[in-house]
Amino acid sequence: MASARFKSAIASQLAQLTGGDASHIARAIGRPKVKGHGTFALPLPRLFPPNNALKSKKSPAGVKEKTGGSSGEQRSTGGSGSGSSNDAVFDTSGLIRSVAPAGNFLNFSVDERRYTRETIDGVVKAEEAKRRVSSHPSSIGPLSSVSTTVTAPTTSTSTLSSIPGLKQSQIASLGYGLDPTVGLGQVIAIDYSSPNIAKPFHGGHLRGTILGNFATRLLRGFGYQVIGINYLGDWGKQYGLMAVGFERYGDRAKLHEDPIKHLYDVYVRINQDISEDPALEKLANHYFKKMEDRSDPHIISLWQEFRSLSIDFYTTIYKRLGIEFDVYSGESETTQHVPEVYDLLRRKHLLKEQEDGAWVVDLTDYGLGVCVLQRADGTTLYLTRDVAACLDRQERFGFSRHLYMIGDDQNLHMKRLFKIMELVFKDEADAASSSSSPHWSRSLQHISFGKVHGMSTRRGQAVFLEDILDTAQSTMLERMKENDYKFEAVKESFQDHQQVQDKSAPINKASYESGAALVADQLGISAVVIQDFQAKSSKGYEFSWKRMTESTGNTGVYLQYAHARLCGIESKAGTKLNPDADTDLLTEPEAFELANMISMYPDVTLQTLETLEPSTIVNYLFALSHAISSANQVLQVKSVADQGQPELAEARLLLLWAARVTLGNGMRILGLEPQERM
């Protein structure tokens, strides 16, 4: 990639001039925060690693640049000793054309034509590699210098071959901006979404669901073998309360007509009752005890019915959002492993029995209190089942890391879970401390996110996610209809697509209308997802219909528009895409600015890999879209082709194509489906 190559050119020179480490310097090089301050910037305090002995040996303050002119003229970048014969000379006759100090930074400008050419070449090669792999998915192997084959570690007690779709998902995540060699051979389990059965999929579930989908796509793009797990809340006292409520208020006809809505109404009513009659909580505990004992076939049958109805409903929501899980599991499946958990904790001298018969793990020394893992009546708790689930996943998948996408209201719970696993495997982790990677029990990570306020299932204030998506879709459809010409164009585009897919299919006006509705649905989903991802995920926010369906300003709709406009330019260019176009013809400042923005994308994704923070990519895509807008005003394609300048038209089209590819790749990582017409 161009960015890495040019950074390396800077770092290698500075390493020779200062005696520093080239790899460390390359990692320290970033982008100037002020426009016009070059292409790259190096903070001088980061030139050497902390406490490095070389730090005082050679200072870059007196670095001069050798301009490469015939006279061998040298220009000092600053420093009191700029006229000294001991000053270092930075060669600016090659990839790097100038170096200048700015406060505590050294700013570097590049050979713009070479930088533009190498940036576009990087996009072309990456997308060609993706195309070749996509054409032969059954034989994924070495691709140039990149291997896209990912297998489970040999330490796993089972293979991942039984999990469908991993290779296809890996392929879908390839392309420009990602390096599939980074996580090669490493397995990461991600627990996300995980709604409670018999309760609505409300707006509060949206964050964990789309964050998990984003992280899954990003990690797969970097070569990690990701196991996406939907761990359903299908067990526990809360279900016992639901069942007690159904005995009071359940209606079979309403259950089959609209199961989730009816069960939600039941849940709200029984919670109102329990606030007036606390004895109902004991009744719910008693009901759950029967579940765990499996002593009543009717109870188990009712639970299975509620679970099945819930999964069917959730699946339609996931499909609409373009989300697929590798594993559907639930708390109920952990019960068979609970005895093993108790036995393991006893052997590690962690489990203690209290006077009332409850079993606990005392974490007060770590500020986490006393954790109950079995109630006095013999029933398990959420923490018990999470310990069992973690152990089961390690045995099945052999993960090297495990991520939990769960709201910040579960911070204490996750700390307790991780501390228990740390204590259980302390000896094994200490023994592995000398290895290159930590023991898996030290690689459990809680990706916490802020809560969406203004909704509560217990008080009946929940806003169903389905309603949010429906409202966003209808809002976008109405806005599309405001422009008759564009609305008809979208329908015609869908018609053309359908006829290409099946030339014998009869013309069906209703299907074309539904095609427009599908576009509107994608626009609505884009609006909903991007408004959530714009701010740091650690921050919560108040639910707002306006916020959820916003389409003006920096929104998901704006990103979709930028992508669709580029698709329109390509389709009407009158010029074929030529990967070998002469990009040296791109001399306009807007062309370099756009190429420069495109070149940043691999750095952005690599930075995001460290934080798993989607707002980083969102903010980059907005900046890219603004650069695209500026370029579109200057870099006309069809007009110069019509004027007899085909080479220039080809060069401009190739640059705009690279921008569209980059924008589309970023949108897909976020979980959006880029639209070609809107």
Side-chain angles (χ1 to χ4, degrees), residues 65-309:
E65 61 175 73
K66 181 179 179 181
T67 63
S70 58
S71 64
E73 177 188 358
Q74 295 180 348
R75 182 158 58 90
S76 173
T77 64
S80 59
S82 61
S84 168
S85 60
N86 294 324
D87 285 342
V89 177
F90 193 100
D91 184 1
T92 56
S93 63
L95 297 178
I96 310 304
R97 288 305 174 88
S98 71
V99 53
N104 286 328
F105 290 85
L106 282 180
N107 294 331
F108 302 86
S109 295
V110 301
D111 181 331
E112 294 186 358
R113 290 190 179 185
R114 292 182 65 176
Y115 195 78
T116 297
R117 186 189 319 138
E118 294 197 20
T119 295
I120 296 176
D121 284 348
V123 180
V124 170
K125 290 176 181 177
E127 292 305 305
E128 175 60 20
K130 178 180 179 178
R131 187 194 63 78
R132 292 204 306 271
V133 174
S134 300
S135 300
H136 304 282
S138 60
S139 58
I140 302 177
L143 187 62
S144 300
S145 61
V146 176
S147 172
T148 56
T149 302
V150 185
T151 56
T154 55
T155 55
S156 175
T157 58
S158 66
T159 67
L160 298 172
S161 59
S162 61
I163 301 174
L166 281 177
K167 287 185 177 180
Q168 292 294 343
S169 298
Q170 195 78 43
I171 292 170
S173 295
L174 295 176
Y176 175 67
L178 301 168
D179 181 357
T181 66
V182 171
L184 205 61
Q186 299 182 54
V187 179
I188 297 181
I190 302 185
D191 180 330
Y192 70 101
S193 193
S194 306
N196 294 323
I197 69 166
K199 293 172 68 176
F201 203 145
H202 61 72
H205 291 112
L206 175 68
R207 303 206 81 185
T209 301
I210 61 178
L211 277 170
N213 183 45
F214 154 74
T216 297
R217 290 169 178 250
L218 180 69
L219 289 164
R220 282 180 177 159
F222 277 101
Y224 293 93
Q225 184 124 12
V226 180
I227 314 298
I229 303 171
N230 196 345
Y231 184 56
L232 300 171
D234 63 350
W235 208 247
K237 188 185 74 173
Q238 59 87 21
Y239 175 80
L241 185 61
M242 169 66 75
V244 170
F246 192 76
E247 289 181 352
R248 287 191 171 195
Y249 304 115
D251 184 315
R252 280 280 163 187
K254 292 181 179 179
L255 179 67
H256 290 285
E257 179 182 345
D258 192 344
I260 301 301
K261 177 63 167 61
H262 180 56
L263 291 174
Y264 170 66
D265 291 340
V266 167
Y267 187 75
V268 171
R269 293 183 69 177
I270 194 63
N271 271 283
Q272 291 172 345
D273 290 351
I274 202 171
S275 64
E276 300 171 1
D277 182 8
L280 287 174
E281 189 165 356
K282 293 183 179 179
L283 189 59
N285 284 335
H286 181 65
Y287 192 101
F288 178 51
K289 173 64 175 173
K290 289 184 178 180
M291 286 178 63
E292 292 223 298
D293 292 343
R294 299 184 183 270
S295 59
D296 188 332
H298 170 71
I299 287 177
I300 298 301
S301 176
L302 186 65
W303 164 77
Q304 290 173 335
E305 181 180 13
F306 287 177
R307 189 180 194 273
S308 178
L309 289 170

Side-chain angles (χ1 to χ4, degrees), residues 112-113 116 582-592 634-635 648 651-652 655:
E112 294 186 358
R113 290 190 179 185
T116 297
D582 184 4
T583 57
D584 285 350
L585 298 174
L586 299 171
T587 58
E588 299 83 358
E590 292 82 1
F592 176 70
V634 178
L635 307 179
L648 180 57
R652 289 179 174 181
L655 173 61

Side-chain angles (χ1 to χ4, degrees), residues 207 408 449-453 535-542 547:
R207 303 206 81 185
D408 56 13
F449 53 86
K451 189 176 182 180
V452 181
H453 302 285
K536 295 284 187 182
S537 56
S538 59
K539 297 180 180 179
Y541 61 85
E542 288 290 332
R547 178 185 171 94

Side-chain angles (χ1 to χ4, degrees), residues 394-421:
Q394 171 57 212
E395 182 178 351
R396 292 172 61 194
F397 308 130
F399 61 79
S400 51
R401 288 174 64 193
H402 194 328
L403 308 180
Y404 293 81
M405 297 285 182
I406 302 177
D408 56 13
D409 56 341
Q410 295 294 322
N411 286 349
L412 177 60
H413 170 82
M414 299 311 299
K415 288 178 180 178
R416 287 173 167 175
L417 171 64
F418 295 170
K419 179 55 68 175
I420 288 174
M421 304 308 293

